[in-house]
Amino acid sequence: MGEQTYGDHRGGQAEPGHDVLVSDEERERVVERVRDAVADGRLPLDELDGRLDRIYAARTRGELRTAGSGLPAPTTGDAPTVDGAPASGFALGVFGGFRRDGGWVVPPRFTAWSMWGGGRLDLTEARFAAPVTVIRAVALWGGIGIVVPDDIDLQVRGFGLFGVFGGREGRARRGTAGPAAPRVVVKGLALFGAVVTKPPRK
């Protein structure tokens, strides 16, 4: 009986972590690379939607690497952040309201719930604890308004069920924001209510 040998098959194996499920933060970093590539002229605009669809459909790190192949490194690390302690990461309005405005420090993850009430998040003078901020907004028979100036890179994702969800929507919209601008991702649900993003009043 001959000796069984095992060759070196590393070239045909997936990279370590290939099958690990991706987080929202990892996915958003690749999205930023796509946006920068379009802004720099590296990626044609007509390829943007297809590339973003593959990124948002990616479930594992291997799929995400494939979707983001050939793109330059992200630039969000240069976005202005502050060292101050961020505000609470949660706001709740039940039969009432809440308001965050002025020079408040927005944490990397912020959740806002409005149930039979209303809420307002104003980012006009806000400072950010991280280059990428994710705001989860849920309105159940209530409303949440999010004021986002044009110098912030905004993404809006979510849906309304018998309600209103939207505003300045677009998966690849910068307004007047530059590549080093803070990025805000709004993820929301409106059920018999409204979650709306809007610019500041003139």
Side-chain angles (χ1 to χ4, degrees):
M1 180 175 173
E3 179 181 0
Q4 186 176 5
T5 60
Y6 295 88
D8 185 357
H9 299 291
R10 287 177 298 176
Q13 292 181 342
E15 298 179 28
H18 182 88
D19 294 328
V20 175
L21 297 178
V22 298
S23 66
D24 288 342
E25 184 176 353
E26 289 173 315
R27 186 177 287 107
E28 295 302 334
R29 284 200 296 264
V30 180
V31 168
E32 180 65 20
R33 292 168 60 193
V34 173
R35 294 162 63 86
D36 287 342
V38 172
D40 294 341
R42 300 173 187 265
L43 187 69
L45 186 59
D46 58 4
E47 295 183 16
L48 177 62
D49 285 343
R51 181 75 73 131
L52 290 177
D53 287 342
R54 291 195 297 274
I55 291 171
Y56 285 119
R59 291 181 50 81
T60 66
R61 288 179 177 174
E63 293 173 353
L64 192 60
R65 291 190 192 104
T66 300
S69 62
L71 298 175
T75 59
T76 52
D78 298 329
T81 59
V82 296
D83 296 328
S88 168
F90 186 78
L92 174 65
V94 180
F95 293 105
F98 61 82
R99 185 183 184 96
R100 299 288 188 275
D101 57 11
W104 65 300
V105 179
V106 188
R109 297 289 184 272
F110 188 89
T111 300
W113 278 77
S114 174
M115 295 184 290
W116 296 284
R120 178 182 174 89
L121 305 177
D122 192 336
L123 305 180
T124 305
E125 300 177 18
R127 297 174 295 161
F128 298 90
V132 179
T133 300
V134 177
I135 297 177
R136 300 182 185 274
V138 180
L140 308 177
W141 290 274
I144 299 176
I146 306 173
V147 180
V148 184
D150 287 337
D151 59 355
I152 288 178
D153 180 10
L154 173 67
Q155 291 184 22
V156 181
R157 299 209 301 273
F159 66 96
L161 181 61
F162 301 107
V164 177
F165 181 86
R168 282 175 37 197
E169 291 194 54
R171 289 182 301 180
R173 179 166 183 168
R174 284 187 181 274
T176 60
R183 180 153 54 92
V184 172
V185 181
V186 175
K187 300 180 179 181
L189 167 66
L191 176 62
F192 293 100
V195 175
V196 179
T197 61
K198 53 189 176 180
R201 292 181 179 178
K202 301 296 183 182

